Coordinates of all heavy atoms in Angstrom, one line a residue:
G1 N 74.4 -100.2 13.7 CA 75.1 -101.4 13.3 C 75.9 -101.9 14.4 O 76.3 -101.2 15.3
A2 N 76.3 -103.2 14.2 CA 77.1 -103.8 15.2 C 78.6 -103.4 15.1 O 79.1 -103.3 14.0 CB 77.0 -105.3 15.1
V3 N 79.2 -103.2 16.2 CA 80.6 -102.9 16.2 C 81.4 -104.2 16.0 O 81.1 -105.1 16.8 CB 81.0 -102.1 17.5 CG1 82.5 -101.9 17.5 CG2 80.3 -100.8 17.6
P4 N 82.3 -104.3 15.1 CA 83.0 -105.5 14.9 C 83.9 -105.8 16.1 O 84.5 -104.9 16.7 CB 83.9 -105.3 13.7 CG 83.9 -103.8 13.5 CD 82.7 -103.2 14.1
K5 N 83.9 -107.1 16.6 CA 84.6 -107.5 17.7 C 86.0 -107.9 17.3 O 86.2 -108.6 16.3 CB 83.9 -108.6 18.5 CG 82.7 -108.2 19.2 CD 82.2 -109.4 20.0 CE 81.0 -108.9 20.9 NZ 80.5 -109.9 21.7
G6 N 87.0 -107.6 18.1 CA 88.3 -108.0 17.8 C 89.2 -107.6 18.9 O 88.9 -106.8 19.7
P7 N 90.4 -108.1 18.9 CA 91.3 -107.7 20.0 C 91.8 -106.3 19.8 O 92.1 -105.8 18.7 CB 92.5 -108.7 19.8 CG 92.4 -109.1 18.4 CD 91.0 -109.0 18.0
P8 N 91.8 -105.6 21.0 CA 92.3 -104.2 20.9 C 93.9 -104.2 20.9 O 94.5 -104.9 21.7 CB 91.8 -103.6 22.2 CG 91.6 -104.7 23.1 CD 91.4 -105.9 22.3
G9 N 94.4 -103.5 20.0 CA 95.9 -103.4 20.0 C 96.6 -104.6 19.6 O 96.1 -105.6 19.1
L10 N 97.9 -104.6 19.9 CA 98.8 -105.8 19.6 C 98.7 -106.8 20.7 O 98.5 -106.4 21.9 CB 100.2 -105.3 19.4 CG 100.4 -104.3 18.2 CD1 101.8 -103.7 18.3 CD2 100.2 -105.1 16.9
P11 N 99.0 -108.1 20.4 CA 99.0 -109.1 21.5 C 100.3 -108.8 22.4 O 101.3 -108.4 21.9 CB 99.2 -110.4 20.7 CG 99.8 -110.0 19.4 CD 99.3 -108.6 19.1
L12 N 100.1 -109.1 23.7 CA 101.3 -109.0 24.6 C 102.1 -110.2 24.6 O 103.2 -110.2 25.1 CB 100.8 -108.6 26.0 CG 100.3 -107.2 26.2 CD1 99.9 -107.0 27.7 CD2 101.4 -106.2 25.9
G13 N 101.6 -111.3 24.0 CA 102.3 -112.5 24.0 C 102.0 -113.3 22.7 O 100.9 -113.2 22.2
T14 N 103.0 -114.0 22.2 CA 102.8 -114.9 21.1 C 103.6 -116.2 21.4 O 104.5 -116.2 22.2 CB 103.4 -114.3 19.8 OG1 104.8 -114.0 19.9 CG2 102.6 -113.1 19.3
M15 N 103.1 -117.3 20.8 CA 103.7 -118.6 21.0 C 103.5 -119.3 19.7 O 102.5 -119.3 19.1 CB 102.9 -119.3 22.1 CG 103.7 -119.9 23.2 SD 102.7 -120.6 24.4 CE 103.4 -122.2 24.5
V16 N 104.6 -120.0 19.3 CA 104.5 -120.9 18.1 C 104.2 -122.3 18.6 O 104.8 -122.8 19.5 CB 105.8 -120.8 17.3 CG1 105.8 -121.8 16.2 CG2 106.1 -119.4 16.8
I17 N 103.1 -122.9 18.0 CA 102.7 -124.2 18.5 C 102.7 -125.1 17.3 O 102.2 -124.8 16.2 CB 101.2 -124.1 19.0 CG1 101.2 -123.1 20.2 CG2 100.7 -125.4 19.4 CD1 99.8 -122.7 20.6
E18 N 103.3 -126.3 17.5 CA 103.3 -127.3 16.5 C 101.9 -127.7 16.1 O 101.0 -127.8 17.0 CB 104.0 -128.6 17.0 CG 105.5 -128.6 16.8 CD 106.0 -130.0 17.2 OE1 105.8 -130.9 16.4 OE2 106.7 -130.1 18.2
Q19 N 101.6 -127.8 14.8 CA 100.3 -128.0 14.3 C 99.6 -129.2 15.0 O 98.4 -129.2 15.2 CB 100.3 -128.1 12.8 CG 98.9 -128.0 12.2 CD 98.2 -126.7 12.5 OE1 98.9 -125.7 12.5 NE2 96.9 -126.7 12.6
K20 N 100.3 -130.3 15.3 CA 99.7 -131.5 15.8 C 99.0 -131.3 17.2 O 98.2 -132.0 17.6 CB 100.7 -132.6 15.9 CG 101.8 -132.4 16.9 CD 102.8 -133.6 16.9 CE 103.9 -133.4 17.9 NZ 104.9 -134.4 17.9
F21 N 99.4 -130.2 17.9 CA 98.8 -129.9 19.2 C 97.6 -129.0 19.1 O 96.9 -128.9 20.1 CB 99.8 -129.2 20.1 CG 101.1 -130.0 20.3 CD1 102.3 -129.4 20.1 CD2 101.0 -131.3 20.8 CE1 103.5 -130.1 20.4 CE2 102.2 -132.0 21.0 CZ 103.4 -131.4 20.8
V22 N 97.3 -128.4 18.0 CA 96.3 -127.4 17.9 C 94.9 -127.9 18.2 O 94.2 -127.3 19.0 CB 96.3 -126.6 16.5 CG1 95.1 -125.7 16.3 CG2 97.6 -125.9 16.4
D23 N 94.5 -129.0 17.6 CA 93.2 -129.6 17.9 C 93.0 -129.9 19.4 O 92.0 -129.7 20.0 CB 92.9 -130.8 17.1 CG 92.6 -130.5 15.6 OD1 92.3 -129.4 15.3 OD2 92.6 -131.5 14.8
F24 N 94.1 -130.4 20.0 CA 94.1 -130.7 21.4 C 93.9 -129.4 22.3 O 93.2 -129.4 23.3 CB 95.4 -131.4 21.8 CG 95.5 -131.9 23.2 CD1 94.6 -132.8 23.7 CD2 96.5 -131.4 24.0 CE1 94.7 -133.2 25.1 CE2 96.6 -131.8 25.4 CZ 95.7 -132.7 25.9
I25 N 94.6 -128.4 21.9 CA 94.5 -127.1 22.6 C 93.1 -126.5 22.5 O 92.5 -126.0 23.4 CB 95.5 -126.1 22.1 CG1 96.9 -126.6 22.6 CG2 95.2 -124.7 22.6 CD1 98.1 -125.9 22.0
I26 N 92.5 -126.6 21.3 CA 91.1 -126.1 21.1 C 90.1 -126.9 21.8 O 89.2 -126.4 22.4 CB 90.8 -126.0 19.5 CG1 91.8 -125.0 18.9 CG2 89.4 -125.6 19.3 CD1 91.7 -125.0 17.4
G27 N 90.2 -128.2 21.7 CA 89.3 -129.1 22.4 C 88.0 -129.2 21.7 O 87.7 -128.5 20.7
P28 N 87.1 -130.2 22.2 CA 85.8 -130.4 21.6 C 85.0 -129.1 21.6 O 84.7 -128.6 22.7 CB 85.2 -131.5 22.4 CG 86.2 -131.9 23.4 CD 87.4 -131.0 23.4
G29 N 84.6 -128.7 20.5 CA 83.7 -127.5 20.4 C 84.4 -126.2 21.0 O 83.7 -125.3 21.3
G30 N 85.7 -126.2 21.0 CA 86.4 -125.0 21.5 C 86.5 -124.9 23.0 O 86.9 -123.9 23.5
Q31 N 86.0 -126.0 23.7 CA 85.9 -125.9 25.2 C 87.2 -125.7 25.9 O 87.3 -124.9 26.8 CB 85.2 -127.1 25.7 CG 83.8 -127.2 25.4 CD 83.1 -128.5 25.9 OE1 83.8 -129.5 26.2 NE2 81.8 -128.5 25.9
S32 N 88.3 -126.4 25.4 CA 89.6 -126.3 26.1 C 90.2 -124.9 26.0 O 90.7 -124.3 27.0 CB 90.6 -127.3 25.6 OG 90.1 -128.6 25.8
L33 N 90.1 -124.3 24.8 CA 90.6 -123.0 24.6 C 89.8 -121.9 25.3 O 90.3 -121.0 25.9 CB 90.6 -122.7 23.1 CG 91.3 -121.3 22.7 CD1 92.7 -121.3 23.1 CD2 91.2 -121.1 21.2
A34 N 88.5 -122.1 25.3 CA 87.6 -121.2 26.1 C 87.9 -121.3 27.6 O 87.9 -120.2 28.2 CB 86.1 -121.6 25.8
A35 N 88.1 -122.5 28.1 CA 88.5 -122.6 29.5 C 89.8 -121.9 29.8 O 89.9 -121.2 30.9 CB 88.5 -124.1 29.9
L36 N 90.8 -122.1 29.0 CA 92.1 -121.4 29.1 C 91.9 -119.9 29.1 O 92.4 -119.2 30.0 CB 93.1 -121.9 28.1 CG 94.5 -121.3 28.2 CD1 95.5 -122.4 27.9 CD2 94.7 -120.1 27.4
N37 N 91.2 -119.4 28.1 CA 90.9 -117.9 28.1 C 90.3 -117.4 29.4 O 90.7 -116.4 29.9 CB 90.0 -117.6 26.9 CG 90.6 -117.7 25.5 OD1 91.8 -117.5 25.4 ND2 89.8 -117.9 24.5
Y38 N 89.3 -118.1 29.9 CA 88.6 -117.7 31.1 C 89.5 -117.8 32.3 O 89.6 -116.9 33.1 CB 87.3 -118.6 31.3 CG 86.6 -118.3 32.5 CD1 85.8 -117.1 32.6 CD2 86.7 -119.1 33.7 CE1 85.1 -116.8 33.8 CE2 86.0 -118.8 34.8 CZ 85.2 -117.7 34.9 OH 84.6 -117.3 36.0
A39 N 90.2 -118.9 32.5 CA 91.0 -119.2 33.6 C 92.2 -118.2 33.7 O 92.5 -117.7 34.8 CB 91.5 -120.6 33.7
A40 N 92.8 -117.9 32.6 CA 94.0 -117.0 32.6 C 93.6 -115.5 32.4 O 94.4 -114.6 32.6 CB 94.9 -117.4 31.4
G41 N 92.3 -115.3 32.1 CA 91.9 -113.9 31.9 C 92.4 -113.2 30.6 O 92.8 -112.0 30.6
V42 N 92.5 -114.0 29.6 CA 93.1 -113.5 28.3 C 92.2 -113.9 27.2 O 91.2 -114.6 27.3 CB 94.5 -114.1 28.0 CG1 95.5 -113.7 29.1 CG2 94.4 -115.7 27.9
T43 N 92.6 -113.5 26.0 CA 91.9 -113.9 24.7 C 93.0 -114.5 23.9 O 94.0 -113.7 23.6 CB 91.2 -112.8 24.0 OG1 90.2 -112.3 24.9 CG2 90.5 -113.3 22.7
V44 N 92.9 -115.7 23.5 CA 93.9 -116.3 22.6 C 93.3 -116.5 21.2 O 92.3 -117.1 21.1 CB 94.4 -117.7 23.1 CG1 95.4 -118.4 22.2 CG2 95.0 -117.6 24.5
H45 N 94.0 -115.9 20.2 CA 93.6 -116.1 18.8 C 94.7 -117.0 18.2 O 95.9 -116.7 18.3 CB 93.6 -114.7 18.1 CG 92.4 -113.9 18.5 ND1 91.2 -113.9 17.8 CD2 92.2 -113.1 19.5 CE1 90.4 -113.1 18.4 NE2 91.0 -112.6 19.4
L46 N 94.2 -118.0 17.5 CA 95.1 -118.9 16.9 C 95.2 -118.6 15.4 O 94.2 -118.7 14.7 CB 94.7 -120.4 17.0 CG 94.7 -120.9 18.5 CD1 94.1 -122.3 18.6 CD2 96.1 -120.8 19.1
D47 N 96.4 -118.2 14.9 CA 96.6 -117.8 13.5 C 97.1 -119.1 12.8 O 98.2 -119.5 13.0 CB 97.6 -116.7 13.4 CG 98.0 -116.4 12.0 OD1 97.4 -117.0 11.0 OD2 98.9 -115.6 11.8
Q48 N 96.2 -119.8 12.1 CA 96.5 -121.0 11.4 C 96.9 -120.8 10.0 O 96.9 -121.8 9.2 CB 95.4 -122.0 11.6 CG 95.2 -122.4 13.1 CD 94.3 -123.6 13.2 OE1 94.6 -124.7 12.8 NE2 93.2 -123.4 13.9
S49 N 97.3 -119.6 9.6 CA 97.7 -119.4 8.2 C 99.0 -120.1 7.8 O 99.3 -120.3 6.6 CB 97.8 -117.9 7.9 OG 98.8 -117.3 8.8
H50 N 99.7 -120.7 8.8 CA 100.9 -121.4 8.5 C 100.7 -122.9 8.8 O 101.7 -123.6 9.0 CB 102.1 -120.9 9.4 CG 102.3 -119.4 9.2 ND1 102.9 -118.9 8.0 CD2 102.1 -118.3 9.9 CE1 103.0 -117.6 8.1 NE2 102.5 -117.2 9.3
A51 N 99.5 -123.4 8.9 CA 99.2 -124.7 9.3 C 99.9 -125.7 8.3 O 100.4 -126.8 8.8 CB 97.7 -125.0 9.3
M52 N 99.9 -125.4 7.1 CA 100.5 -126.3 6.1 C 102.0 -126.4 6.3 O 102.6 -127.4 5.9 CB 100.2 -125.9 4.7 CG 98.7 -126.0 4.3 SD 98.0 -127.6 4.8 CE 97.8 -128.3 3.2
A53 N 102.6 -125.4 6.9 CA 104.0 -125.4 7.2 C 104.3 -126.2 8.5 O 105.5 -126.3 8.9 CB 104.6 -124.0 7.3
G54 N 103.2 -126.6 9.2 CA 103.4 -127.4 10.4 C 103.3 -126.6 11.7 O 103.6 -127.2 12.8
Y55 N 102.9 -125.4 11.7 CA 102.8 -124.6 13.0 C 101.6 -123.6 12.9 O 101.2 -123.2 11.9 CB 104.1 -124.0 13.3 CG 104.5 -122.8 12.4 CD1 104.2 -121.5 12.8 CD2 105.2 -123.0 11.3 CE1 104.5 -120.4 12.0 CE2 105.6 -122.0 10.4 CZ 105.2 -120.7 10.8 OH 105.6 -119.7 10.0
T56 N 101.2 -123.2 14.1 CA 100.2 -122.2 14.3 C 100.8 -121.2 15.3 O 101.6 -121.5 16.2 CB 98.9 -122.8 14.9 OG1 98.3 -123.5 13.8 CG2 98.0 -121.8 15.4
V57 N 100.4 -119.9 15.1 CA 100.9 -118.9 16.0 C 99.7 -118.5 16.9 O 98.7 -118.1 16.5 CB 101.5 -117.6 15.3 CG1 101.9 -116.6 16.3 CG2 102.6 -118.0 14.4
A58 N 100.0 -118.6 18.2 CA 99.0 -118.2 19.2 C 99.3 -116.7 19.6 O 100.4 -116.4 20.0 CB 99.0 -119.0 20.5
H59 N 98.3 -115.8 19.4 CA 98.4 -114.4 19.8 C 97.6 -114.3 21.0 O 96.4 -114.6 21.1 CB 97.9 -113.5 18.7 CG 98.6 -113.6 17.4 ND1 99.8 -113.0 17.2 CD2 98.3 -114.2 16.2 CE1 100.3 -113.3 16.0 NE2 99.3 -114.0 15.4
I60 N 98.3 -113.8 22.1 CA 97.6 -113.8 23.4 C 97.4 -112.3 23.8 O 98.4 -111.5 23.9 CB 98.5 -114.5 24.5 CG1 98.8 -115.9 24.0 CG2 97.8 -114.5 25.8 CD1 99.9 -116.6 24.8
Y61 N 96.1 -112.0 24.1 CA 95.8 -110.6 24.4 C 95.3 -110.6 25.8 O 94.5 -111.4 26.3 CB 94.6 -110.1 23.5 CG 95.0 -110.1 22.0 CD1 94.8 -111.3 21.3 CD2 95.5 -109.0 21.4 CE1 95.1 -111.3 19.9 CE2 95.8 -109.0 20.1 CZ 95.6 -110.1 19.3 OH 96.0 -110.1 18.0
G62 N 95.7 -109.6 26.6 CA 95.3 -109.4 28.0 C 96.4 -108.7 28.8 O 97.5 -108.4 28.2
P63 N 96.2 -108.5 30.1 CA 97.2 -108.0 30.9 C 98.5 -108.8 31.0 O 98.4 -110.1 30.8 CB 96.5 -107.9 32.3 CG 95.1 -108.0 32.1 CD 94.9 -108.8 30.8
E64 N 99.6 -108.2 31.2 CA 100.9 -108.9 31.1 C 101.0 -110.2 32.0 O 101.4 -111.2 31.6 CB 102.0 -108.0 31.4 CG 103.4 -108.4 30.8 CD 104.4 -107.3 30.9 OE1 104.1 -106.1 30.7 OE2 105.5 -107.6 31.2
D65 N 100.5 -110.0 33.3 CA 100.6 -111.2 34.2 C 99.7 -112.3 33.7 O 100.0 -113.5 33.8 CB 100.3 -110.8 35.6 CG 98.9 -110.2 35.8 OD1 98.4 -109.5 34.9 OD2 98.3 -110.4 36.8
C66 N 98.5 -112.0 33.1 CA 97.6 -113.0 32.6 C 98.2 -113.7 31.4 O 98.0 -114.9 31.2 CB 96.3 -112.3 32.2 SG 95.4 -111.7 33.7
V67 N 98.9 -112.9 30.5 CA 99.6 -113.5 29.4 C 100.6 -114.5 29.8 O 100.7 -115.6 29.2 CB 100.2 -112.4 28.5 CG1 101.1 -112.9 27.4 CG2 99.1 -111.5 27.8
R68 N 101.4 -114.2 30.8 CA 102.3 -115.2 31.4 C 101.6 -116.4 31.8 O 102.1 -117.5 31.5 CB 103.1 -114.5 32.5 CG 104.3 -113.7 32.1 CD 105.3 -113.4 33.2 NE 104.7 -112.6 34.3 CZ 104.7 -111.3 34.2 NH1 105.2 -110.6 33.2 NH2 104.1 -110.6 35.2
R69 N 100.5 -116.3 32.6 CA 99.8 -117.4 33.0 C 99.3 -118.3 31.8 O 99.3 -119.5 31.9 CB 98.6 -117.0 33.9 CG 98.9 -116.7 35.3 CD 97.7 -116.8 36.2 NE 96.6 -115.9 35.8 CZ 96.4 -114.7 36.3 NH1 97.2 -114.2 37.1 NH2 95.4 -114.0 35.9
A70 N 98.8 -117.6 30.8 CA 98.3 -118.3 29.6 C 99.4 -119.1 28.9 O 99.2 -120.2 28.5 CB 97.7 -117.3 28.6
K71 N 100.6 -118.5 28.9 CA 101.7 -119.3 28.2 C 102.0 -120.5 29.0 O 102.3 -121.6 28.5 CB 103.0 -118.4 28.1 CG 102.9 -117.4 27.0 CD 104.2 -116.6 26.9 CE 104.2 -115.7 25.7 NZ 105.5 -115.0 25.5
V72 N 102.1 -120.4 30.4 CA 102.3 -121.6 31.2 C 101.2 -122.6 31.0 O 101.5 -123.8 30.9 CB 102.4 -121.1 32.7 CG1 102.4 -122.3 33.6 CG2 103.7 -120.3 32.9
A73 N 100.0 -122.1 31.0 CA 98.9 -123.1 30.8 C 98.9 -123.8 29.4 O 98.7 -125.0 29.3 CB 97.5 -122.3 30.9
L74 N 99.3 -123.0 28.4 CA 99.5 -123.6 27.0 C 100.6 -124.7 27.0 O 100.4 -125.8 26.5 CB 99.7 -122.6 26.0 CG 98.5 -121.8 25.5 CD1 98.9 -120.6 24.7 CD2 97.6 -122.7 24.6
E75 N 101.7 -124.3 27.7 CA 102.8 -125.3 27.7 C 102.4 -126.5 28.5 O 102.8 -127.7 28.1 CB 104.0 -124.6 28.4 CG 104.7 -123.6 27.4 CD 105.7 -122.7 28.1 OE1 105.9 -122.8 29.4 OE2 106.3 -121.9 27.4
F76 N 101.6 -126.4 29.6 CA 101.2 -127.5 30.4 C 100.2 -128.4 29.5 O 100.3 -129.6 29.5 CB 100.5 -127.0 31.6 CG 100.0 -128.2 32.5 CD1 100.9 -129.0 33.2 CD2 98.6 -128.5 32.5 CE1 100.4 -130.1 33.9 CE2 98.2 -129.5 33.3 CZ 99.1 -130.4 34.0
K77 N 99.3 -127.7 28.8 CA 98.4 -128.5 28.0 C 99.1 -129.3 26.9 O 98.8 -130.4 26.7 CB 97.4 -127.5 27.4 CG 96.3 -128.1 26.5 CD 95.2 -128.6 27.3 CE 94.1 -129.2 26.5 NZ 93.2 -130.1 27.2
I78 N 100.1 -128.7 26.3 CA 100.9 -129.4 25.3 C 101.6 -130.6 25.9 O 101.7 -131.6 25.3 CB 101.9 -128.4 24.6 CG1 101.1 -127.4 23.7 CG2 102.9 -129.2 23.8 CD1 101.9 -126.3 23.2
S79 N 102.1 -130.4 27.2 CA 102.8 -131.5 27.8 C 101.9 -132.7 28.1 O 102.3 -133.8 28.3 CB 103.4 -131.0 29.1 OG 102.4 -130.9 30.1
Q80 N 100.6 -132.5 28.1 CA 99.6 -133.6 28.3 C 99.2 -134.3 27.0 O 98.5 -135.3 27.1 CB 98.3 -133.0 28.9 CG 98.5 -132.4 30.3 CD 97.2 -131.9 30.8 OE1 96.5 -131.1 30.2 NE2 96.9 -132.2 32.1
W81 N 99.6 -133.8 25.9 CA 99.2 -134.4 24.6 C 99.9 -135.7 24.4 O 101.0 -135.9 24.7 CB 99.6 -133.5 23.5 CG 99.2 -134.0 22.1 CD1 98.1 -133.8 21.5 CD2 100.0 -134.7 21.2 NE1 98.1 -134.4 20.3 CE2 99.3 -135.0 20.1 CE3 101.3 -135.3 21.3 CZ2 99.8 -135.7 19.0 CZ3 101.8 -136.0 20.2 CH2 101.0 -136.2 19.1
L82 N 99.1 -136.7 23.9 CA 99.6 -138.0 23.6 C 99.1 -138.3 22.2 O 98.0 -138.0 21.8 CB 99.1 -139.1 24.5 CG 99.7 -139.0 25.9 CD1 99.0 -140.0 26.8 CD2 101.2 -139.3 25.9
P83 N 99.9 -139.1 21.4 CA 99.4 -139.5 20.1 C 98.2 -140.3 20.2 O 98.0 -141.0 21.2 CB 100.6 -140.3 19.5 CG 101.8 -140.0 20.3 CD 101.2 -139.5 21.7
K84 N 97.3 -140.4 19.2 CA 96.1 -141.2 19.2 C 96.5 -142.6 19.5 O 97.4 -143.2 18.9 CB 95.4 -141.1 17.9 CG 94.6 -139.8 17.8 CD 93.7 -139.8 16.6 CE 92.8 -138.6 16.7 NZ 92.4 -138.1 15.4
G85 N 95.8 -143.2 20.4 CA 96.0 -144.6 20.7 C 97.0 -144.8 21.8 O 97.1 -145.9 22.4
A86 N 97.8 -143.8 22.2 CA 98.8 -144.0 23.3 C 98.1 -143.7 24.7 O 97.1 -143.0 24.7 CB 99.9 -143.0 23.1
S87 N 98.6 -144.4 25.7 CA 98.1 -144.2 27.0 C 99.1 -143.5 27.9 O 100.3 -143.6 27.6 CB 97.6 -145.5 27.6 OG 98.8 -146.3 27.8
Y88 N 98.7 -143.0 29.0 CA 99.7 -142.3 29.9 C 100.7 -143.4 30.4 O 101.9 -143.1 30.6 CB 98.9 -141.7 31.1 CG 98.3 -140.4 30.7 CD1 97.0 -140.3 30.5 CD2 99.1 -139.2 30.5 CE1 96.4 -139.1 30.1 CE2 98.6 -138.0 30.2 CZ 97.2 -137.9 30.0 OH 96.6 -136.8 29.6
S89 N 100.2 -144.6 30.7 CA 101.2 -145.6 31.2 C 102.3 -145.9 30.2 O 103.4 -146.1 30.5 CB 100.4 -146.9 31.7 OG 99.7 -147.4 30.6
A90 N 101.9 -146.0 28.9 CA 102.8 -146.3 27.9 C 103.8 -145.1 27.7 O 105.0 -145.3 27.5 CB 102.1 -146.6 26.6
A91 N 103.3 -143.9 27.8 CA 104.1 -142.7 27.6 C 105.1 -142.6 28.8 O 106.2 -142.1 28.6 CB 103.2 -141.5 27.5
A92 N 104.7 -143.0 30.0 CA 105.6 -142.8 31.1 C 106.7 -143.9 31.1 O 107.7 -143.7 31.8 CB 104.8 -142.9 32.4
A93 N 106.5 -145.0 30.4 CA 107.5 -146.1 30.4 C 108.8 -145.7 29.8 O 108.9 -144.8 29.0 CB 106.9 -147.3 29.7

């Protein structure tokens, strides 16, 4: 039989993310989240059991330095988010 896949042990990092950013972090077909996982050398699991309360908890698994990189990358990604219909020029004004 197949061994179930899952993160080993406890996450070394967690981050609370406002729900409005979650789709942006995941990206089309999960591409943005997959790229972040690959670039930072971590596995990020998004626990959306609190989505109706307006937030998701990101559990970050991997070596400690990679977890730090992933948190920085997530914060940067969130900083790039704009509401639908907004442009960078309007946001910078």
